[in-house]
Amino acid sequence: MIATAQQTAAAPDLVGMLPEEAEAALREHFAARGQPGYRVGQVLRWVYERGAFGFGDMTNLPQGERAALAEAFSFTAPEPAKVSRSVDGTAKHLWRLADGELIESVLIPTPTRLTLCISSQAGCAMACTFCATGWAGYRRQLSAGEIVAQFRGARKWAQENGYNDVTNIVFMGMGEPLMNPKAVFPTLAILNRGYRFGARRVTISTVGVVPGILRMAEMPEQFRLAVSLHAPNHELRQKLIPLEKKFPLPELLEALRRFDQAGGKRITFEYVMIDGVTDAPELADELAGVIREFNAFVNLIPFNPIPGTEWKPSRRARLDYFVERLERQGISAHVRESRGSDIAAACGQLRAEVTEGRKPVQIGSL
Ligand code: SAH
Protein backbone atom coordinates (compact mmCIF):
# COMPACT_ATOMS: atom_id res chain seq x y z
CA MET A 1 0.00 0.00 0.00
CA ILE A 2 2.67 2.50 1.01
CA ALA A 3 4.72 1.61 -2.05
CA THR A 4 1.74 2.39 -4.27
CA ALA A 5 1.18 5.73 -2.59
CA GLN A 6 4.83 6.68 -3.05
CA GLN A 7 4.77 5.52 -6.61
CA THR A 8 1.72 7.69 -7.31
CA ALA A 9 3.30 10.74 -5.73
CA ALA A 10 6.38 10.37 -7.89
CA ALA A 11 4.49 9.33 -11.01
CA PRO A 12 5.42 11.50 -13.98
CA ASP A 13 2.70 13.88 -15.14
CA LEU A 14 1.58 13.01 -18.65
CA VAL A 15 0.18 16.51 -19.18
CA GLY A 16 3.51 18.15 -18.35
CA MET A 17 5.79 15.89 -20.38
CA LEU A 18 7.21 16.85 -23.75
CA PRO A 19 5.31 14.98 -26.50
CA GLU A 20 8.36 12.88 -27.36
CA GLU A 21 8.93 12.07 -23.67
CA ALA A 22 5.31 11.08 -23.29
CA GLU A 23 5.51 8.88 -26.35
CA ALA A 24 8.68 7.14 -25.15
CA ALA A 25 7.31 6.63 -21.66
CA LEU A 26 4.04 5.20 -22.97
CA ARG A 27 5.88 2.95 -25.39
CA GLU A 28 7.91 1.52 -22.56
CA HIS A 29 4.88 1.21 -20.32
CA PHE A 30 2.77 -0.70 -22.84
CA ALA A 31 5.68 -2.87 -24.01
CA ALA A 32 6.31 -3.96 -20.41
CA ARG A 33 2.65 -4.94 -20.18
CA GLY A 34 2.69 -6.89 -23.45
CA GLN A 35 0.22 -4.46 -25.02
CA PRO A 36 0.16 -3.61 -28.74
CA GLY A 37 2.06 -0.53 -29.90
CA TYR A 38 -1.08 1.27 -31.10
CA ARG A 39 -2.07 1.90 -27.48
CA VAL A 40 0.57 4.65 -27.44
CA GLY A 41 -1.19 6.56 -30.22
CA GLN A 42 -4.56 6.01 -28.56
CA VAL A 43 -3.40 7.64 -25.34
CA LEU A 44 -1.58 10.49 -27.13
CA ARG A 45 -4.75 11.28 -29.08
CA TRP A 46 -6.73 11.41 -25.86
CA VAL A 47 -4.20 13.82 -24.42
CA TYR A 48 -3.61 16.18 -27.37
CA GLU A 49 -6.71 15.90 -29.53
CA ARG A 50 -9.60 14.49 -27.60
CA GLY A 51 -9.20 16.52 -24.40
CA ALA A 52 -9.38 13.70 -21.85
CA PHE A 53 -9.26 14.83 -18.23
CA GLY A 54 -7.91 11.63 -16.83
CA PHE A 55 -7.24 8.02 -17.70
CA GLY A 56 -10.84 7.10 -16.88
CA ASP A 57 -11.98 9.11 -19.91
CA MET A 58 -9.94 6.97 -22.33
CA THR A 59 -12.84 4.73 -23.20
CA ASN A 60 -11.26 2.85 -26.11
CA LEU A 61 -8.71 1.34 -23.72
CA PRO A 62 -9.51 -1.75 -21.68
CA GLN A 63 -10.45 -0.99 -18.08
CA GLY A 64 -7.33 -2.74 -16.81
CA GLU A 65 -5.09 -0.59 -18.98
CA ARG A 66 -6.72 2.60 -17.75
CA ALA A 67 -6.07 1.49 -14.20
CA ALA A 68 -2.44 0.60 -14.98
CA LEU A 69 -1.89 4.00 -16.58
CA ALA A 70 -3.31 5.71 -13.49
CA GLU A 71 -0.78 3.77 -11.38
CA ALA A 72 2.17 4.65 -13.58
CA PHE A 73 1.39 8.27 -14.46
CA SER A 74 -0.30 11.28 -12.99
CA PHE A 75 -2.52 13.58 -15.05
CA THR A 76 -2.72 17.20 -13.92
CA ALA A 77 -6.23 18.62 -14.09
CA PRO A 78 -6.81 21.56 -11.75
CA GLU A 79 -10.15 21.99 -10.13
CA PRO A 80 -12.11 25.05 -11.33
CA ALA A 81 -12.80 26.86 -8.05
CA LYS A 82 -14.76 29.69 -9.64
CA VAL A 83 -15.71 31.05 -13.06
CA SER A 84 -16.62 34.71 -13.51
CA ARG A 85 -18.10 36.16 -16.67
CA SER A 86 -17.81 39.78 -17.63
CA VAL A 87 -20.51 41.77 -19.40
CA ASP A 88 -18.07 41.97 -22.34
CA GLY A 89 -17.80 38.16 -22.66
CA THR A 90 -14.42 37.89 -20.94
CA ALA A 91 -14.35 34.83 -18.68
CA LYS A 92 -12.01 34.31 -15.77
CA HIS A 93 -11.24 30.93 -14.23
CA LEU A 94 -9.89 30.53 -10.75
CA TRP A 95 -8.09 27.18 -10.57
CA ARG A 96 -7.28 25.31 -7.39
CA LEU A 97 -4.08 23.29 -7.67
CA ALA A 98 -3.40 19.98 -5.92
CA ASP A 99 -1.72 21.69 -2.94
CA GLY A 100 -4.47 24.31 -2.59
CA GLU A 101 -2.67 27.15 -4.38
CA LEU A 102 -4.89 29.32 -6.56
CA ILE A 103 -4.19 30.71 -10.02
CA GLU A 104 -6.21 32.41 -12.71
CA SER A 105 -6.62 32.29 -16.47
CA VAL A 106 -8.72 34.58 -18.65
CA LEU A 107 -10.55 33.96 -21.94
CA ILE A 108 -10.91 37.11 -24.04
CA PRO A 109 -13.22 36.84 -27.05
CA THR A 110 -13.20 39.25 -30.00
CA PRO A 111 -15.15 38.80 -33.24
CA THR A 112 -12.19 37.05 -34.87
CA ARG A 113 -10.21 35.58 -32.01
CA LEU A 114 -10.37 33.86 -28.68
CA THR A 115 -7.31 34.74 -26.66
CA LEU A 116 -6.42 32.78 -23.57
CA CYS A 117 -4.30 34.53 -20.96
CA ILE A 118 -2.52 32.05 -18.68
CA SER A 119 -0.49 32.16 -15.48
CA SER A 120 3.06 30.91 -15.15
CA GLN A 121 3.50 31.27 -11.38
CA ALA A 122 1.25 31.28 -8.34
CA GLY A 123 1.66 34.94 -7.42
CA CYS A 124 4.63 36.93 -8.67
CA ALA A 125 7.95 37.99 -7.16
CA MET A 126 8.50 41.00 -9.42
CA ALA A 127 6.53 43.42 -7.20
CA CYS A 128 5.81 45.98 -9.94
CA THR A 129 4.19 48.87 -8.10
CA PHE A 130 1.16 49.16 -10.42
CA CYS A 131 0.21 45.45 -10.47
CA ALA A 132 -2.13 43.67 -8.08
CA THR A 133 -0.44 40.30 -8.65
CA GLY A 134 2.83 41.89 -7.56
CA TRP A 135 1.25 43.31 -4.40
CA ALA A 136 -0.16 39.93 -3.45
CA GLY A 137 3.32 38.38 -3.33
CA TYR A 138 4.90 35.22 -4.61
CA ARG A 139 3.74 31.71 -3.75
CA ARG A 140 5.50 29.21 -5.99
CA GLN A 141 6.46 28.15 -9.51
CA LEU A 142 3.91 26.31 -11.60
CA SER A 143 4.82 23.03 -13.27
CA ALA A 144 4.51 22.64 -17.03
CA GLY A 145 1.50 20.39 -16.40
CA GLU A 146 -0.19 23.11 -14.34
CA ILE A 147 0.35 25.68 -17.08
CA VAL A 148 -0.83 23.37 -19.86
CA ALA A 149 -3.81 22.31 -17.74
CA GLN A 150 -5.11 25.89 -17.72
CA PHE A 151 -5.25 25.71 -21.50
CA ARG A 152 -6.93 22.30 -21.46
CA GLY A 153 -9.47 23.38 -18.85
CA ALA A 154 -10.27 26.78 -20.35
CA ARG A 155 -10.57 25.31 -23.84
CA LYS A 156 -13.06 22.74 -22.62
CA TRP A 157 -15.09 25.38 -20.82
CA ALA A 158 -15.07 27.54 -23.97
CA GLN A 159 -16.36 24.62 -26.06
CA GLU A 160 -19.13 23.93 -23.58
CA ASN A 161 -20.20 27.56 -23.32
CA GLY A 162 -20.58 28.55 -26.94
CA TYR A 163 -17.20 30.22 -27.44
CA ASN A 164 -14.99 29.52 -30.44
CA ASP A 165 -11.73 27.63 -30.34
CA VAL A 166 -8.83 29.25 -28.55
CA THR A 167 -6.84 31.00 -31.30
CA ASN A 168 -4.12 32.72 -29.26
CA ILE A 169 -2.34 32.09 -25.99
CA VAL A 170 -0.63 34.87 -24.07
CA PHE A 171 1.52 34.43 -20.96
CA MET A 172 0.04 37.55 -19.41
CA GLY A 173 -1.67 36.09 -16.39
CA MET A 174 -0.13 35.82 -12.95
CA GLY A 175 3.62 35.55 -12.69
CA GLU A 176 6.71 36.34 -14.70
CA PRO A 177 7.06 33.57 -17.30
CA LEU A 178 10.78 34.02 -17.86
CA MET A 179 11.42 33.59 -14.13
CA ASN A 180 10.03 30.08 -14.52
CA PRO A 181 12.03 28.78 -17.49
CA LYS A 182 12.04 25.21 -16.21
CA ALA A 183 8.31 24.95 -16.82
CA VAL A 184 7.61 27.67 -19.38
CA PHE A 185 9.98 26.50 -22.13
CA PRO A 186 8.69 22.92 -22.00
CA THR A 187 5.16 24.33 -22.04
CA LEU A 188 5.92 26.14 -25.30
CA ALA A 189 7.13 22.87 -26.81
CA ILE A 190 4.08 20.97 -25.54
CA LEU A 191 1.63 23.52 -26.94
CA ASN A 192 3.45 23.66 -30.25
CA ARG A 193 4.40 20.06 -30.88
CA GLY A 194 1.72 18.31 -28.83
CA TYR A 195 -1.39 20.44 -29.31
CA ARG A 196 -0.18 21.79 -32.70
CA PHE A 197 -0.62 25.34 -31.53
CA GLY A 198 1.31 27.60 -33.95
CA ALA A 199 4.28 29.39 -32.37
CA ARG A 200 3.21 32.74 -33.81
CA ARG A 201 -0.04 32.47 -31.90
CA VAL A 202 1.75 32.16 -28.55
CA THR A 203 3.12 35.26 -26.82
CA ILE A 204 5.45 35.42 -23.84
CA SER A 205 5.12 38.70 -21.96
CA THR A 206 8.08 39.62 -19.79
CA VAL A 207 9.03 42.48 -17.54
CA GLY A 208 12.55 42.18 -18.96
CA VAL A 209 14.29 39.02 -17.77
CA VAL A 210 17.40 39.19 -19.95
CA PRO A 211 18.55 35.53 -19.86
CA GLY A 212 15.06 34.37 -20.86
CA ILE A 213 14.91 36.83 -23.75
CA LEU A 214 18.28 35.60 -25.01
CA ARG A 215 17.04 32.04 -24.83
CA MET A 216 13.95 32.97 -26.83
CA ALA A 217 16.17 34.65 -29.44
CA GLU A 218 17.88 31.32 -30.01
CA MET A 219 14.71 29.31 -30.52
CA PRO A 220 13.99 28.30 -34.10
CA GLU A 221 10.22 28.65 -33.60
CA GLN A 222 8.70 32.10 -33.87
CA PHE A 223 7.09 32.45 -30.48
CA ARG A 224 6.18 36.07 -29.95
CA LEU A 225 7.68 38.35 -27.35
CA ALA A 226 5.98 41.20 -25.54
CA VAL A 227 8.04 43.40 -23.25
CA SER A 228 6.48 45.32 -20.40
CA LEU A 229 8.57 48.44 -20.86
CA HIS A 230 6.27 51.01 -19.22
CA ALA A 231 8.94 53.73 -19.16
CA PRO A 232 11.54 54.94 -21.67
CA ASN A 233 14.31 55.67 -19.15
CA HIS A 234 16.04 54.03 -16.22
CA GLU A 235 14.93 56.59 -13.61
CA LEU A 236 11.21 56.27 -14.20
CA ARG A 237 11.36 52.56 -14.93
CA GLN A 238 13.04 51.71 -11.64
CA LYS A 239 10.28 53.46 -9.73
CA LEU A 240 7.72 51.18 -11.35
CA ILE A 241 9.62 47.95 -11.83
CA PRO A 242 12.10 46.68 -9.21
CA LEU A 243 13.70 44.32 -11.78
CA GLU A 244 15.03 47.41 -13.59
CA LYS A 245 17.78 47.50 -10.95
CA LYS A 246 18.93 44.01 -11.89
CA PHE A 247 18.54 44.33 -15.66
CA PRO A 248 18.80 48.05 -16.45
CA LEU A 249 17.34 49.38 -19.68
CA PRO A 250 20.57 49.38 -21.75
CA GLU A 251 21.08 45.69 -20.96
CA LEU A 252 17.45 44.90 -21.74
CA LEU A 253 17.67 46.73 -25.06
CA GLU A 254 20.83 44.83 -25.96
CA ALA A 255 18.99 41.52 -25.37
CA LEU A 256 16.10 42.76 -27.50
CA ARG A 257 18.53 43.62 -30.29
CA ARG A 258 19.65 40.01 -30.24
CA PHE A 259 16.04 38.84 -30.38
CA ASP A 260 15.27 41.26 -33.21
CA GLN A 261 18.31 40.20 -35.19
CA ALA A 262 17.28 36.57 -34.93
CA GLY A 263 14.70 37.67 -37.48
CA GLY A 264 11.05 37.42 -38.30
CA LYS A 265 9.78 38.04 -34.82
CA ARG A 266 8.15 41.36 -34.20
CA ILE A 267 8.43 42.67 -30.64
CA THR A 268 5.46 44.20 -28.84
CA PHE A 269 6.20 46.84 -26.26
CA GLU A 270 3.62 47.19 -23.52
CA TYR A 271 3.31 50.58 -21.92
CA VAL A 272 0.96 51.28 -19.03
CA MET A 273 -0.70 54.69 -19.15
CA ILE A 274 -0.93 56.06 -15.61
CA ASP A 275 -2.30 59.56 -15.21
CA GLY A 276 0.52 62.00 -14.49
CA VAL A 277 3.10 59.22 -14.10
CA THR A 278 3.83 57.67 -17.50
CA ASP A 279 1.71 59.70 -19.91
CA ALA A 280 3.60 62.98 -20.48
CA PRO A 281 3.95 63.82 -24.19
CA GLU A 282 7.74 64.12 -23.79
CA LEU A 283 7.80 60.49 -22.64
CA ALA A 284 6.19 59.51 -25.95
CA ASP A 285 9.05 61.21 -27.78
CA GLU A 286 11.61 59.54 -25.56
CA LEU A 287 9.91 56.17 -26.04
CA ALA A 288 9.95 56.59 -29.81
CA GLY A 289 13.67 57.30 -29.63
CA VAL A 290 14.36 54.18 -27.58
CA ILE A 291 12.42 51.67 -29.66
CA ARG A 292 12.81 53.16 -33.13
CA GLU A 293 15.55 50.67 -34.02
CA PHE A 294 13.22 47.70 -33.53
CA ASN A 295 10.66 46.15 -35.80
CA ALA A 296 8.14 46.81 -33.07
CA PHE A 297 4.81 48.19 -32.10
CA VAL A 298 3.46 49.62 -28.88
CA ASN A 299 0.47 48.43 -26.96
CA LEU A 300 -0.69 51.19 -24.65
CA ILE A 301 -2.53 49.76 -21.67
CA PRO A 302 -4.72 52.24 -19.79
CA PHE A 303 -3.93 51.66 -16.12
CA ASN A 304 -6.46 49.37 -14.51
CA PRO A 305 -7.17 50.53 -10.98
CA ILE A 306 -6.01 48.16 -8.26
CA PRO A 307 -6.48 48.26 -4.50
CA GLY A 308 -3.69 49.98 -2.60
CA THR A 309 -2.75 52.76 -5.01
CA GLU A 310 -4.22 56.16 -5.73
CA TRP A 311 -3.19 56.03 -9.37
CA LYS A 312 -5.71 56.60 -12.10
CA PRO A 313 -5.76 55.71 -15.78
CA SER A 314 -4.73 58.42 -18.22
CA ARG A 315 -7.51 60.58 -19.53
CA ARG A 316 -8.66 59.77 -23.06
CA ALA A 317 -7.23 62.96 -24.55
CA ARG A 318 -3.78 62.22 -23.08
CA LEU A 319 -3.96 58.68 -24.38
CA ASP A 320 -4.88 59.79 -27.87
CA TYR A 321 -2.20 62.46 -27.87
CA PHE A 322 0.42 59.92 -26.77
CA VAL A 323 -0.54 57.67 -29.69
CA GLU A 324 -0.37 60.62 -32.05
CA ARG A 325 3.11 61.64 -30.83
CA LEU A 326 4.36 58.07 -31.31
CA GLU A 327 2.84 57.75 -34.75
CA ARG A 328 4.20 61.09 -35.83
CA GLN A 329 7.61 59.53 -35.27
CA GLY A 330 6.81 56.43 -37.26
CA ILE A 331 6.00 54.10 -34.35
CA SER A 332 2.79 52.11 -34.66
CA ALA A 333 0.82 52.18 -31.46
CA HIS A 334 -2.47 50.77 -30.40
CA VAL A 335 -4.56 51.27 -27.27
CA ARG A 336 -5.42 47.96 -25.67
CA GLU A 337 -9.03 48.25 -24.63
CA SER A 338 -9.55 47.10 -21.10
CA ARG A 339 -11.46 43.83 -21.00
CA GLY A 340 -13.10 42.14 -18.05
CA SER A 341 -12.40 44.86 -15.50
CA ASP A 342 -15.84 44.30 -13.88
CA ILE A 343 -14.66 40.83 -12.82
CA ALA A 344 -11.08 41.93 -11.98
CA ALA A 345 -9.79 40.10 -15.04
CA ALA A 346 -8.03 43.02 -16.74
CA CYS A 347 -4.24 43.41 -17.01
CA GLY A 348 -2.67 43.65 -13.59
CA GLN A 349 -5.82 42.79 -11.67
CA LEU A 350 -5.29 39.05 -11.23
CA ARG A 351 -4.61 38.06 -7.67
CA ALA A 352 -6.57 34.85 -7.23
CA GLU A 353 -8.99 36.30 -4.76
CA VAL A 354 -11.25 33.97 -2.86
CA THR A 355 -13.14 34.62 0.27
CA GLU A 356 -12.43 31.39 2.12
CA GLY A 357 -9.34 29.89 3.56
CA ARG A 358 -6.45 32.03 2.44
CA LYS A 359 -4.45 34.66 4.24
CA PRO A 360 -3.19 37.66 2.30
CA VAL A 361 0.56 37.82 1.91
CA GLN A 362 2.42 40.90 3.08
CA ILE A 363 5.27 41.92 0.85
CA GLY A 364 6.27 45.02 2.77
CA SER A 365 5.96 48.60 1.65
CA LEU A 366 7.23 49.51 -1.79
N1 SAH B 1 5.14 39.38 -15.79
C1 SAH B 1 4.78 39.52 -17.18
C2 SAH B 1 3.39 39.04 -17.41
C3 SAH B 1 2.31 39.95 -16.86
S1 SAH B 1 1.44 40.48 -18.24
C4 SAH B 1 5.00 40.93 -17.63
O1 SAH B 1 5.32 41.75 -16.77
O2 SAH B 1 4.96 41.20 -18.81
C5 SAH B 1 0.41 41.65 -17.66
C6 SAH B 1 0.61 42.99 -18.33
O3 SAH B 1 -0.23 43.91 -17.65
C7 SAH B 1 2.02 43.51 -18.16
O4 SAH B 1 2.38 44.33 -19.25
C8 SAH B 1 1.86 44.33 -16.93
O5 SAH B 1 2.91 45.25 -16.74
C9 SAH B 1 0.53 44.98 -17.16
N2 SAH B 1 -0.08 45.49 -15.95
C10 SAH B 1 0.17 45.15 -14.67
N3 SAH B 1 -0.60 45.85 -13.84
C11 SAH B 1 -1.38 46.65 -14.59
C12 SAH B 1 -2.39 47.59 -14.30
N4 SAH B 1 -2.78 47.82 -13.06
N5 SAH B 1 -2.99 48.22 -15.32
C13 SAH B 1 -2.62 47.96 -16.59
N6 SAH B 1 -1.67 47.08 -16.93
C14 SAH B 1 -1.05 46.43 -15.94
Side-chain angles (χ1 to χ4, degrees):
M1 286 302 279
I2 290 167
T4 312
Q6 280 172 347
Q7 193 187 352
T8 309
D13 174 18
L14 210 54
V15 176
M17 287 165 109
L18 294 173
E20 50 278 13
E21 285 172 359
E23 186 177 347
L26 289 167
R27 198 163 293 289
E28 197 180 312
H29 169 84
F30 284 120
R33 297 182 53 78
Q35 285 288 310
Y38 64 77
R39 296 265 182 253
V40 175
Q42 284 180 314
V43 175
L44 292 175
R45 272 192 296 284
W46 277 113
V47 175
Y48 300 123
E49 291 163 31
R50 304 182 68 178
F53 273 82
F55 300 106
D57 290 347
M58 302 184 181
T59 45
N60 56 355
L61 284 131
Q63 187 66 50
E65 290 311 313
R66 290 182 236 163
L69 282 166
E71 286 267 309
F73 299 96
S74 60
F75 200 100
T76 295
E79 180 193 337
K82 188 176 170 191
V83 188
S84 324
R85 250 170 123 152
S86 160
V87 289
D88 68 19
T90 300
K92 180 170 82 169
H93 280 86
L94 177 73
W95 304 105
R96 184 176 288 115
L97 307 178
D99 63 353
E101 286 298 336
L102 295 164
I103 55 167
E104 292 177 322
S105 67
V106 184
L107 284 163
I108 309 151
T110 72
T112 53
R113 289 178 173 198
L114 180 59
T115 300
L116 172 66
C117 177
I118 52 178
S119 295
S120 54
Q121 298 179 315
C124 187
M126 299 292 95
C128 298
T129 49
F130 50 85
C131 178
T133 313
W135 281 90
Y138 173 73
R139 306 286 299 185
R140 71 165 169 83
Q141 299 285 29
L142 298 187
S143 68
E146 287 167 337
I147 303 176
V148 172
Q150 294 168 61
F151 162 65
R152 305 180 89 254
R155 181 181 60 170
K156 177 164 179 257
W157 185 90
Q159 281 162 358
E160 289 171 354
N161 286 275
Y163 288 67
N164 296 330
D165 271 351
V166 173
T167 58
N168 296 74
I169 297 176
V170 295
F171 284 73
M172 296 187 186
M174 301 169 72
E176 167 48 51
L178 296 182
M179 291 298 267
N180 186 8
K182 233 178 99 188
V184 165
F185 286 100
T187 299
L188 294 177
I190 295 166
L191 291 172
N192 186 229
R193 298 204 294 271
Y195 296 89
R196 305 272 162 211
F197 213 93
R200 288 159 184 256
R201 294 190 289 128
V202 180
T203 302
I204 296 275
S205 179
T206 179
V207 72
V209 180
V210 165
I213 294 171
L214 295 177
R215 183 160 167 191
M216 281 189 73
E218 277 161 20
M219 294 174 80
E221 301 91 355
Q222 301 197 327
F223 293 106
R224 296 197 176 271
L225 180 66
V227 180
S228 296
L229 200 65
H230 301 324
N233 61 59
H234 178 70
E235 286 65 36
L236 178 58
R237 198 164 189 267
Q238 70 175 351
K239 287 189 192 140
L240 303 172
I241 300 173
L243 194 75
E244 171 68 19
K245 295 187 184 74
K246 182 156 185 210
F247 298 120
L249 202 51
E251 207 179 312
L252 171 59
L253 294 171
E254 188 51 42
L256 295 176
R257 257 167 230 135
R258 298 262 292 275
F259 184 88
D260 208 38
Q261 282 154 13
K265 315 184 203 183
R266 197 170 188 201
I267 302 170
T268 302
F269 287 101
E270 292 158 292
Y271 191 99
V272 65
M273 293 292 283
I274 309 173
D275 183 44
V277 179
T278 59
D279 63 354
E282 306 76 61
L283 290 172
D285 297 343
E286 203 179 344
L287 178 63
V290 168
I291 65 172
R292 181 170 293 119
E293 63 178 296
F294 299 104
N295 173 22
F297 69 95
V298 179
N299 245 324
L300 295 172
I301 316 176
F303 173 67
N304 292 305
I306 59 164
T309 75
E310 302 277 282
W311 284 337
K312 294 190 173 53
S314 299
R315 279 161 292 137
R316 190 77 222 186
R318 289 275 269 199
L319 205 55
D320 292 343
Y321 190 55
F322 205 91
V323 173
E324 194 188 314
R325 289 280 279 247
L326 286 173
E327 290 192 330
R328 215 186 282 166
Q329 303 191 53
I331 307 286
S332 19
H334 172 87
V335 176
R336 185 190 287 171
E337 298 302 337
S338 176
R339 300 287 306 269
S341 55
D342 56 329
I343 54 164
C347 292
Q349 294 187 322
L350 302 184
R351 54 178 189 156
E353 233 183 347
V354 275
T355 40
E356 4 99 42
R358 191 167 196 238
K359 289 201 197 92
V361 183
Q362 290 303 124
I363 54 165
S365 63
L366 290 164

